[in-house]
Amino acid sequence: MTPENELDYIEKLETSIPGFDFLSEGGLPKGRATLVAGTAGSSKTVFACQFLAEGIKRGENGVFVTFEEPPKALRRNMRGFGWNIAEWEMERKWAFVDASPQPGERMMVTGDYDLGALIARIEFAIRKYNAQRVSLDSLGAIFSHLSDSAEVRSDLFRMASALRELGVTAIMTAERTEEYGDISRFGVEEFVADNVVILRNVLADEKRRRTIEILKYRGTDHQKGEYPFTIVPGRGVVIIPLSAIELEQKSSNIRITSGSEELDRMCGGGFFRDSIILVSGATGTGKTLMVTEFMAGGVINEERCLIFAFEESREQLFRNAIGWGVDFQQMEKEGKLKVVCRYPETTGLENHLINMKETIESFKPNRVAVDSLSALERVSTLKGFREFIIGLTSFIKQQEIGGLFTSTTPTLLGGSSITEAHISTITDSIILLRYVEMYGEMRRGVTVLKMRGSMHDKDIREFSIDDKGMHIGKPFRNVTGILSGSPMYTAQSEVERLSNLFEE
């Protein structure tokens, strides 16, 4: 092997942490030390424990060196993720090197602070348990006893060299004081580690958002930038790598019904089977009714249907459906429909996305409806919401499932919402529902604004709602400005005059 291509052959160790091996393009460089830095509450300890836990599942023993939390607390705290550390200790798969302060102990340093004894303990545990993975949590607790940065750097380099000589793959956690400031508290830890990973827990608009970034990966490539992640009970750290999304989904010419014959005709024969449809309108225009008819149309055709509702309860949805002649309860009993209702505020968008993916994978529906996306806007930052939209739509497309999403406009007579701005370019069809004020009466209008790969009706048609559902009628004539939210009635003579201007 020549010096020029030697770096191309750095072997990587799969961490098996969901999403991380994609970001790191294979895992952590084998036999090297990686610094995981983050502020308090950024999940450094969870990441360090998960690195060992996933290794044990792969038959790779681990040693956990703790400088802060006692082993007893770690065993208890990590049980919520399904990691039975005590059992692994009995099976000689997991070993603790306890360097945590004892209760009531006062630290006194006289002379030089020497890490030799600690390094010897770590080496002994690695050899005794034949460990391939090591986690050290957290360096700040031990280096706070050292007086100057040169001493910190020297001892840290000594520890990293000892681990490298033993051939283990190590994670060392370190505290940060700011989310976007210095990489580590002492400002030297990152220079002796081969790799640097940063965990963030940023507060923006009164909402927390967790991200992970691989800052340095010496001698090997990795994905650049920040990626969202979350903490899931029973699983631990789950990273959502948006760059893994590829435009490779298949396209189908098969049509499926919207549940309304009139709307099918407006769409050129129905929706495509694997299309994403956005229904946008003000409150009360009939968005949930369109979801209901979309589900009913699928059940009639022996398709499995799934609804995610973020604004109404099950009882409310079932009552409304009965009012339109659709029996959701009977559909659920037959196993053709599943209704999942959650308040958006119950968890973060990353958790919502993971839960929705798991539900789709387990239920295996042919159709999915989300009512409404706008309800999810208020629990996230704009960037987080956009990532959620992209992650959900791409997943549904890859599964070749028909998806119908609803979005609420901010004003009664129209306008665009934040949701539309983020999703309109990645949807295949857009249907607009609008109120039309005419002569002191509120009417409703519907139009198909966009439909990829198909001809569609360009008219804005009036529709009504009764106990049988939606009924689409004739186009509005002599009315302009409906979509802009400023409908104006135009006299027939004026319409004829304008038409003549364009005649040859």
Side-chain angles (χ1 to χ4, degrees), residues 190-449:
E190 63 269 24
F191 295 108
V192 295
D194 296 302
N195 321 298
V196 177
V197 176
I198 296 178
L199 304 179
R200 294 187 177 96
N201 189 18
V202 181
L203 178 64
D205 299 328
E206 300 181 357
K207 303 174 184 74
R208 288 283 178 185
R209 180 171 179 267
R210 298 180 188 271
T211 63
I212 183 170
E213 178 185 7
I214 298 177
L215 185 68
K216 181 176 79 170
Y217 238 43
R218 189 173 288 164
T220 181
D221 205 3
H222 60 89
Q223 299 289 320
K224 312 300 189 295
E226 291 184 75
Y227 293 85
F229 78 92
T230 187
I231 307 298
V232 180
R235 295 181 65 183
V237 172
V238 177
I239 301 165
I240 305 169
L242 294 178
S243 58
I245 297 170
E246 297 179 352
L247 293 174
E248 295 181 349
Q249 61 268 15
K250 299 176 182 177
S251 293
S252 171
N253 291 322
I254 298 174
R255 302 264 187 169
I256 60 173
T257 180
S258 65
S260 165
E261 292 183 5
E262 296 100 330
L263 186 58
D264 286 346
R265 283 193 289 270
M266 289 183 69
C267 295
F271 304 136
F272 287 118
R273 185 179 64 185
D274 53 359
S275 61
I276 301 293
I277 305 103
L278 175 66
V279 179
S280 173
T283 179
T285 49
K287 299 185 300 298
T288 303
L289 170 56
M290 287 199 67
V291 169
T292 302
E293 292 191 339
F294 183 63
M295 295 290 102
V299 170
I300 290 172
N301 292 329
E302 299 297 323
E303 298 177 21
R304 292 168 68 83
C305 301
L306 173 62
I307 299 178
F308 293 105
F310 295 100
E311 291 184 322
E312 297 178 280
S313 65
R314 287 174 57 86
E315 289 72 18
Q316 205 170 355
L317 284 171
F318 283 34
R319 183 199 64 192
N320 294 344
I322 284 290
W324 297 316
V326 178
D327 191 346
F328 274 176
Q329 191 168 5
Q330 181 61 31
M331 293 177 182
E332 270 204 325
K333 285 182 180 178
E334 294 172 357
K336 297 176 182 177
L337 176 71
K338 184 178 182 68
V339 179
V340 179
C341 299
R342 294 191 184 101
Y343 270 117
E345 287 80 3
T346 55
T347 186
L349 277 192
E350 293 82 9
N351 293 69
H352 278 304
L353 178 59
I354 291 168
N355 293 335
M356 292 168 78
K357 284 182 175 181
E358 289 177 349
T359 304
I360 291 170
E361 287 175 339
S362 62
F363 187 67
K364 294 180 171 54
N366 304 103
R367 301 183 178 206
V368 172
V370 179
D371 185 33
S372 98
L373 288 178
S374 300
L376 296 166
E377 288 180 23
R378 62 179 182 260
V379 299
S380 175
T381 61
L382 287 179
K383 185 174 183 181
F385 181 69
R386 180 178 177 275
E387 291 170 346
F388 168 82
I389 292 293
I390 293 172
L392 180 61
T393 53
S394 61
F395 178 77
I396 289 176
K397 275 182 166 292
Q398 287 168 358
Q399 303 292 317
E400 297 183 45
I401 296 170
L404 188 143
F405 303 156
T406 68
S407 164
T408 305
T409 55
T411 60
L412 283 179
L413 295 178
S416 62
S417 67
I418 297 172
T419 310
E420 290 177 62
H422 286 301
I423 195 177
S424 59
T425 56
I426 54 177
T427 53
D428 301 294
S429 305
I430 298 179
I431 298 172
L432 300 182
L433 306 179
R434 291 290 186 263
Y435 283 118
V436 183
E437 184 183 359
M438 293 182 63
Y439 304 113
E441 181 183 3
M442 292 295 280
R443 302 184 184 181
R444 294 183 177 94
V446 58
T447 187
V448 180
L449 186 66

Side-chain angles (χ1 to χ4, degrees), residues 19-39:
F20 184 80
D21 291 334
F22 176 83
L23 295 189
S24 57
E25 300 189 359
L28 294 176
K30 198 168 185 179
R32 293 186 173 186
T34 298
L35 180 72
V36 177
T39 56

Side-chain angles (χ1 to χ4, degrees), residues 26-69:
L28 294 176
K30 198 168 185 179
R32 293 186 173 186
T34 298
L35 180 72
V36 177
T39 56
S42 59
S43 308
K44 299 184 300 298
T45 302
V46 176
F47 193 94
C49 287
Q50 190 169 356
F51 173 64
L52 296 193
E54 296 295 344
I56 288 172
K57 294 175 185 177
R58 294 167 56 90
E60 301 166 357
N61 295 349
V63 170
F64 194 97
V65 185
T66 176
F67 299 108
E68 292 182 325
E69 286 189 82

